[in-house]
Amino acid sequence: MTHEVSPQAVKRFPWVLLLCSGIAFAVLVTLGIWQTQRLFWKEQLIAQIEARTHAAPRPLSEVETEFAQGNSVDYLPVKLSGTFRNDEEQYFFTTFKGASGYAVYTPLLLNDGRAILVNRGFVPYEKQNPSTRTEGQVTGEVTIIGLARDPLLAKPSFYLPDNEPAKKLYYWKDWGMMMENSPLSKEHDFVGFFVDADAAPNAGGLPVGGITILEQPNNHLQYAGTWFGLAAVLLVVTFIYIFRQRRGGVAQ
């Protein structure tokens, strides 16, 4: 016996479902591709951080040359000398080993008359006031070894509170605002990036240096697998539904 598809069965073909499924499939695949690209980027970043942080410190002038050429200087080890202007500390809200507090950013007046913002390290809330850690307020010329850090181009997330320069308090590292908020900027040019000091101990134990976050989370392979997996499931489910619907619409 031959089977013929009735006109009614043809009309019942789920074109809208097929269109919606196709759009959803394309979106899921696009997200999977995006996460794959992010995976490659993150792996390169991790490899770069690993290579840079194990290199010998460079003179500040060499790192400046890299920066002036438009290259990222993030995590490049650098060595520099100068005098801290402890009276111009500014504070970045952060956590360290489970405790909340501040990273202390202090201008270092360089021997050539310029200045650079140095993240000296972490202090807990109750030690924000410099008078509670006078031993760490070093005077005279010092030599700092640390990691160069690129300035952020914009606020990383709208969830972050706005910076409060009047209180010298920051929730994201706005180099321009921090530089301009330093009275030193009226008389001296600032190097255009930060330096995170290494873990060399400070007198009195504060600030605690070496707080740069080096470990980068990398879950992009898992995310990519999730998106591609959902795309595959959607494809199979759509095919099965259409196959059964069409089969049920065939006249016996």
Side-chain angles (χ1 to χ4, degrees), residues 182-220:
S182 170
L184 204 61
S185 65
K186 295 179 175 62
E187 302 175 2
H188 303 271
D189 293 330
F190 272 69
V191 176
F193 51 85
F194 302 104
V195 169
D196 288 352
D198 67 8
N202 290 305
L206 293 174
V208 179
I211 65 172
T212 309
I213 298 175
L214 300 177
E215 295 182 0
Q216 301 291 321
N218 187 11
N219 299 314
H220 298 295

Side-chain angles (χ1 to χ4, degrees), residues 12-25 234-246:
R12 287 198 298 269
F13 189 87
W15 292 108
V16 174
L17 172 64
L18 187 62
L19 177 62
C20 293
S21 296
I23 294 173
F25 179 81
L234 176 64
L235 189 66
V236 171
V237 169
T238 302
F239 174 79
I240 292 175
Y241 176 84
I242 293 176
F243 175 78
R244 289 180 175 177
Q245 193 271 349
R246 293 289 292 160

Side-chain angles (χ1 to χ4, degrees), residues 40-56 72-77 146-150 196 212-218:
F40 293 148
W41 169 79
K42 184 60 70 68
E43 289 177 341
Q44 291 174 351
L45 175 61
I46 292 172
Q48 182 186 68
I49 292 173
E50 180 71 14
R52 288 187 170 186
T53 54
H54 286 84
S72 169
V73 297
D74 241 3
Y75 306 103
L76 281 177
L147 300 176
R149 301 306 310 277
D150 289 333
D196 288 352
T212 309
I213 298 175
L214 300 177
E215 295 182 0
Q216 301 291 321
N218 187 11

Side-chain angles (χ1 to χ4, degrees), residues 2-190:
T2 59
H3 300 281
E4 295 182 356
V5 179
S6 67
Q8 291 77 12
V10 174
K11 291 181 180 179
R12 287 198 298 269
F13 189 87
W15 292 108
V16 174
L17 172 64
L18 187 62
L19 177 62
C20 293
S21 296
I23 294 173
F25 179 81
V27 171
L28 292 171
V29 170
T30 299
L31 289 171
I33 293 172
W34 174 63
Q35 286 296 337
T36 301
Q37 293 170 339
R38 294 281 293 175
L39 171 65
F40 293 148
W41 169 79
K42 184 60 70 68
E43 289 177 341
Q44 291 174 351
L45 175 61
I46 292 172
Q48 182 186 68
I49 292 173
E50 180 71 14
R52 288 187 170 186
T53 54
H54 286 84
R58 300 186 186 184
L60 179 62
S61 58
E62 290 186 11
V63 180
E64 285 189 271
T65 298
E66 288 278 342
F67 188 73
Q69 293 173 348
N71 299 322
S72 169
V73 297
D74 241 3
Y75 306 103
L76 281 177
V78 60
K79 184 177 182 179
L80 61 161
S81 297
T83 305
F84 279 122
R85 288 293 302 268
N86 296 306
D87 56 322
E88 296 189 19
E89 285 185 353
Q90 301 187 70
Y91 310 97
F92 172 71
F93 175 78
T94 189
T95 59
F96 179 65
K97 293 185 176 180
S100 296
Y102 304 98
V104 178
Y105 280 77
T106 308
L108 183 73
L109 188 58
L110 303 171
N111 296 329
D112 62 7
R114 297 178 303 151
I116 186 170
L117 287 167
V118 175
N119 172 11
R120 296 192 62 204
F122 175 83
V123 296
Y125 277 133
E126 63 275 14
K127 295 292 184 177
Q128 179 186 8
N129 192 322
S131 64
T132 65
R133 44 183 170 84
T134 54
E135 289 182 68
Q137 303 299 90
V138 295
T139 58
E141 183 169 317
V142 296
T143 296
I144 301 296
I145 296 177
L147 300 176
R149 301 306 310 277
D150 289 333
L152 297 178
L153 299 178
K155 188 176 182 179
S157 170
F158 66 88
Y159 291 111
L160 290 173
D162 291 331
N163 291 329
E164 301 179 63
K167 298 180 180 179
K168 300 184 178 181
L169 180 59
Y170 298 83
Y171 298 97
W172 66 280
K173 299 171 187 177
D174 186 340
W175 176 88
M177 183 178 290
M178 294 177 76
M179 180 271 297
E180 292 177 1
N181 197 40
S182 170
L184 204 61
S185 65
K186 295 179 175 62
E187 302 175 2
H188 303 271
D189 293 330
F190 272 69

